[in-house]
Amino acid sequence: MLLRTPEQTSMLLWASLLVLAAPVSGPLAAVPKSMISLQPPWTTVFHGERVNLTCNGFHFYAPEKIKWYRLYSGRQRPSETQGNTLEVRDSGQYICQAPGSLPSNPVRLLFSTASFILQAPHSVFEGDQLILRCRKRGREKLTTVRYFWNRKVISDSNKSLDLLISQASLNNSGCYQCTGSLENNRVLRTSLANIRIQELFPRPKLKVTDSQPTEGNSVNLSCKTQLPLERSDTRLRFVFFRDHGVILSNWSASPELQVTAIWREDSGSYWCGAMTSGIHKRSLPLQIDVQRIPVSGVFLETQPQGDPVVEGEILVLVCSVAEGTGNTTFSWHREDTRESLGQKSQRSQRAELEIAVIRESHAGGYYCTADNGYGLIQSEAVNVSVRSTPGKRRGLVAAGTTGGTFSVLLAVALLFYCWYQRKLGDGSLGDTTRRPLTLGPGVSFHPMCPAPVELQQLYGNVHPKERDLVYSQIQIIQPGEQGEGNTFRTSLEDQFFFYLFSTPACLNSLL
């Protein structure tokens, strides 16, 4: 069995406390840590003065007991206080531990017997105000005070005994010393004091959920850093940006940024920045390479689908891809001529081309292609058939294939008009004598019909029902001029009503 002296046991206990007081990470990081504050704030005071130490812990209540540990000359002395304040007058290192918290960082105090000392605060973080003070014991007054930093003069004044650095930085760490001149020109010199400016927060580190994301996916960026427990109430602000000065977000309290959809052109180096109290820190760059999926499964379909397209309708050619990200260039072509009908470039897996008025000449095979930078992929051809519109015109404009009553009346009116014009030309409206019409060889017509009528059929591809056929072109055939025997001599009333209502055979030959 290994035996240890009381001094060795005390040193081991102190070492264990120092290990617990060191910064932690992982599961223990969730446990709060005790902190010591000083009043007055100096770590060096004259012998005989007092310093009050206050232990701050998590959910501390005054009635609870606080554990204190003092190490001096190799000896460790524990003690307890009912409240969280301990008044000390002895040099040494002090640690406290509040209930439910880890031990604090050690605080070194020096109660000096010297007549001239340099006082400095216990802890100074970058961005804090740093105050150093030269103090002399006794009644003699200092006329001039001079400060040194790493053995270089940084201040020489006969008005102030303090050295003020309004915003300390890590570069202000080093060895400080001051000298003071008395009225009798005697110069006093303090011992060297090593002052370390603590980092308020380390350089942030940018983390990303995926450094090689696929186009269109979301990516989360995190700006990671840590404030010390003593400054846990400090407010940090964060910013995210990409190379070439592209700012992704304004300064905000959130250390997270979500890119809802990232694309190939978003590839590059990313940074984040953290700031507070004039302290700016920027992370190292993080490269993000966005991956693009090549197009595949190119497919062409038509709208409407299936049956032949009717002339005059709208035909829509829809080109789509089963896979493919980023900007895709779609192109439509005829299979026989391979001529390009149109092209569109867009960030989509589907595009449409519209043919406003389809014609018979548009019939044939069609295909489309798609390319997003990894090579052109072609769809299978789709055949488009076009059906002509019923009633395609070959002569004059028709009134229609139905509407029997109106069409018959129209034909009768035209017949009457032509007959009337011919009678006016004869100049014998008053002659009621009927004379036969003599026609040339091979010309004959119904004996009761006034004049032959040639009717021109309007539609050649329509087969209407019986009694529905209507003709739109009426040609009155005038027999050759062969004297008076070639014309009719009758009155309008007699001939018009007689022929139309008394001779159905003539009307039938007309219709």
Side-chain angles (χ1 to χ4, degrees):
M1 181 176 180
L2 180 62
L3 297 178
R4 295 189 177 91
T5 64
E7 290 76 7
Q8 290 175 326
T9 303
S10 178
M11 290 299 294
L12 288 175
L13 176 60
W14 190 248
S16 65
L17 288 174
L18 291 179
V19 170
L20 288 175
V24 294
S25 59
L28 288 178
V31 181
K33 193 175 184 180
S34 303
M35 296 179 296
I36 295 179
S37 58
L38 288 70
Q39 184 59 40
W42 318 114
T43 56
T44 300
V45 295
F46 286 121
H47 181 72
E49 295 181 333
R50 297 176 299 177
V51 175
N52 290 327
L53 305 181
T54 301
C55 186
N56 299 309
F58 182 68
H59 294 321
F60 172 77
Y61 298 99
E64 294 180 325
K65 292 183 178 181
I66 301 295
K67 294 180 180 180
W68 296 89
Y69 303 92
R70 172 178 175 255
L71 176 64
Y72 183 75
S73 298
R75 295 183 180 182
Q76 184 265 337
R77 295 181 180 181
S79 63
E80 286 186 349
T81 59
Q82 189 63 34
N84 66 334
T85 301
L86 175 68
E87 183 182 279
V88 296
R89 299 186 179 188
D90 298 315
S91 299
Q93 294 187 71
Y94 290 84
I95 288 178
C96 79
Q97 185 174 10
S101 301
L102 295 174
S104 67
N105 292 329
V107 174
R108 182 183 296 274
L109 294 179
L110 175 62
F111 291 84
S112 177
T113 58
S115 60
F116 191 51
I117 59 175
L118 174 62
Q119 294 183 310
H122 160 56
S123 65
V124 179
F125 289 92
E126 53 183 343
D128 288 351
Q129 185 182 68
L130 172 61
I131 300 178
L132 301 179
R133 175 171 297 175
C134 280
R135 284 187 63 193
K136 176 188 171 300
R137 187 195 295 268
R139 296 182 178 179
E140 292 181 281
K141 294 184 178 180
L142 297 173
T143 58
T144 302
V145 174
R146 179 175 295 173
Y147 284 89
F148 297 83
W149 173 73
N150 293 337
R151 303 187 182 278
K152 296 178 181 179
V153 177
I154 57 173
S155 175
D156 193 350
S157 174
N158 57 1
K159 295 182 179 180
S160 175
L161 302 180
D162 296 343
L163 172 66
L164 173 63
I165 299 176
S166 58
Q167 191 174 52
S169 68
L170 298 180
N171 294 331
N172 294 129
S173 298
C175 291
Y176 287 81
Q177 188 179 38
C178 73
T179 61
S181 300
L182 301 176
E183 293 180 351
N184 58 6
N185 294 327
R186 189 162 63 99
V187 176
L188 302 178
R189 184 180 301 271
T190 66
S191 58
L192 293 174
N194 187 21
I195 298 176
R196 184 177 66 88
I197 308 299
Q198 299 183 66
E199 190 175 47
L200 182 60
F201 59 92
R203 167 184 279 184
K205 183 177 181 180
L206 181 63
K207 292 187 176 182
V208 62
T209 52
D210 188 357
S211 61
Q212 291 184 332
T214 302
E215 275 193 314
N217 289 345
S218 64
V219 172
N220 292 331
L221 304 175
S222 301
C223 198
K224 298 293 186 180
T225 189
Q226 183 67 46
L227 288 166
L229 184 62
E230 296 90 331
R231 300 300 173 88
S232 58
D233 58 344
T234 300
R235 298 296 181 90
L236 290 176
R237 302 177 67 195
F238 301 89
V239 67
F240 296 84
F241 46 97
R242 197 178 71 225
D243 48 5
H244 308 303
V246 179
I247 299 176
L248 304 178
S249 72
N250 294 323
W251 289 98
S252 70
S254 174
E256 307 284 339
L257 176 68
Q258 183 184 46
V259 181
T260 55
I262 196 166
W263 305 102
R264 182 67 177 272
E265 56 267 28
D266 297 323
S267 298
S269 295
Y270 285 72
W271 285 267
C272 74
M275 175 189 72
T276 184
S277 303
I279 305 300
H280 299 77
K281 294 189 179 182
R282 175 172 163 174
S283 70
L284 294 174
L286 176 64
Q287 184 69 25
I288 297 180
D289 295 318
V290 184
Q291 306 300 305
R292 176 168 290 177
I293 298 178
V295 295
S296 62
V298 182
F299 181 74
L300 178 67
E301 59 180 332
T302 62
Q303 294 178 353
Q305 297 180 352
D307 297 335
V309 185
V310 179
E311 268 193 315
E313 289 188 350
I314 297 175
L315 176 65
V316 179
L317 302 176
V318 182
C319 190
S320 60
V321 298
E323 286 187 324
T325 58
N327 284 331
T328 302
T329 300
F330 297 90
S331 183
W332 292 263
H333 304 265
R334 290 198 60 153
E335 189 177 28
D336 52 355
T337 63
R338 293 193 172 271
E339 66 172 313
S340 177
L341 304 177
Q343 190 177 84
K344 289 183 180 180
S345 182
Q346 57 192 50
R347 184 169 287 163
S348 172
Q349 292 185 323
R350 171 190 172 98
E352 298 181 355
L353 178 70
E354 182 180 286
I355 301 177
V357 180
I358 196 72
R359 296 186 176 88
E360 284 184 321
S361 60
H362 290 134
Y366 292 82
Y367 67 91
C368 70
T369 62
D371 183 11
N372 66 348
Y374 287 92
L376 186 143
I377 305 297
Q378 179 177 320
S379 72
E380 293 185 0
V382 174
N383 187 60
V384 175
S385 58
V386 181
R387 178 165 55 88
S388 62
T389 306
K392 184 176 180 181
R393 295 186 173 109
R394 293 181 180 175
L396 299 178
V397 177
T401 60
T402 59
T405 303
F406 175 77
S407 302
V408 169
L409 292 177
L410 177 61
V412 170
L414 290 172
L415 177 62
F416 172 74
Y417 174 78
C418 295
W419 175 80
Y420 177 75
Q421 292 295 325
R422 184 177 63 189
K423 299 303 291 182
L424 289 178
D426 289 343
S428 55
L429 294 176
D431 190 353
T432 60
T433 303
R434 299 179 180 174
R435 295 173 180 168
L437 176 63
T438 303
L439 302 176
V443 179
S444 64
F445 57 94
H446 196 282
M448 297 300 293
C449 194
V453 179
E454 181 178 346
L455 304 177
Q456 302 297 324
Q457 187 174 353
L458 176 61
Y459 303 116
N461 60 344
V462 178
H463 304 285
K465 296 181 181 179
E466 185 179 359
R467 298 182 183 275
D468 287 342
L469 184 62
V470 174
Y471 293 87
S472 62
Q473 182 173 348
I474 302 176
Q475 182 178 354
I476 306 298
I477 302 176
Q478 299 290 349
E481 296 292 338
Q482 296 182 4
E484 293 181 355
N486 295 337
T487 61
F488 288 99
R489 302 288 184 174
T490 184
S491 66
L492 292 176
E493 296 85 352
D494 187 15
Q495 293 187 32
F496 180 71
F497 291 102
F498 179 82
Y499 290 136
L500 292 184
F501 296 99
S502 301
T503 60
C506 178
L507 183 60
N508 289 335
S509 67
L510 172 64
L511 302 178

